[in-house]
Amino acid sequence: MTIFEKIVAGEIPCNKVLENDKFLAFNDINPKAPIHILIIPKKHFKNFQEMDATLMGKMTKFIQEVATLMGLDKSGYRLITNNGENGGQEVMHLHFHMLGGAKLNWTDAATDPQSTF
Ligand code: AMP
């Protein structure tokens, strides 16, 4: 079981931002921006490549609700999902990183392997 599935199961605590029956948003433990929220489906999918397209439609709405709750719908944000080894995915349960609260840098991840967000 991944750490995010343990969070969904209530076995590990999280700093919750928003929740419904299908999705959960919580603060990243190691924030890379003033606001850094992780948004996950409660059902297990290894990553975006394996995500169900119909559920993704519902998840889109939930992600938008998180942004609005945080005021990021107005100020802007970045949404990222690391997919697989070259994508730098560490936790093998689909999650979107929502980053905001400041103007974010944009480096060329294709040519700069050291680049983060
Ligand atoms: P990724 O590299 O895309 O798989 O990102 C995994 C993210 O999960 C990292 O940003 C970690 O800081 C974050 N993370 C790992 N464990 C926890 C946890 N228990 N609570 C909150 N965030 C976590």
Side-chain angles (χ1 to χ4, degrees):
M1 212 190 228
T2 64
I3 194 156
F4 292 171
E5 290 168 275
K6 288 180 181 168
I7 287 174
V8 169
E11 292 173 18
I12 292 177
C14 72
N15 192 343
K16 188 164 75 179
V17 173
L18 189 66
E19 181 177 18
N20 68 17
D21 60 326
K22 292 191 170 54
F23 309 107
L24 175 66
F26 54 97
N27 287 308
D28 195 294
I29 208 166
N30 182 22
K32 292 182 166 61
I35 297 172
H36 186 170
I37 297 167
L38 298 174
I39 306 171
I40 67 172
K42 291 186 174 177
K43 187 174 175 188
H44 179 66
F45 298 92
K46 189 171 137 196
N47 54 35
F48 182 75
Q49 193 61 28
E50 298 195 354
M51 179 56 163
D52 175 82
T54 302
L55 189 62
M56 192 62 226
K58 294 186 169 69
M59 190 165 188
T60 298
K61 190 165 184 300
F62 184 78
I63 291 169
Q64 291 165 344
E65 285 170 12
V66 174
T68 301
L69 178 69
M70 300 305 295
L72 299 177
D73 56 328
K74 304 268 190 310
S75 57
Y77 60 92
R78 184 169 298 158
L79 193 66
I80 291 174
T81 185
N82 295 326
N83 197 96
E85 188 180 347
N86 280 359
Q89 183 179 4
E90 287 177 0
V91 178
M92 296 300 159
H93 180 98
L94 171 63
H95 53 281
F96 288 88
H97 298 257
M98 179 176 281
L99 299 141
K103 182 95 176 161
L104 303 171
N105 291 327
W106 181 249
T107 55
D108 188 345
T111 56
D112 177 8
Q114 301 307 317
S115 73
T116 54
F117 297 116

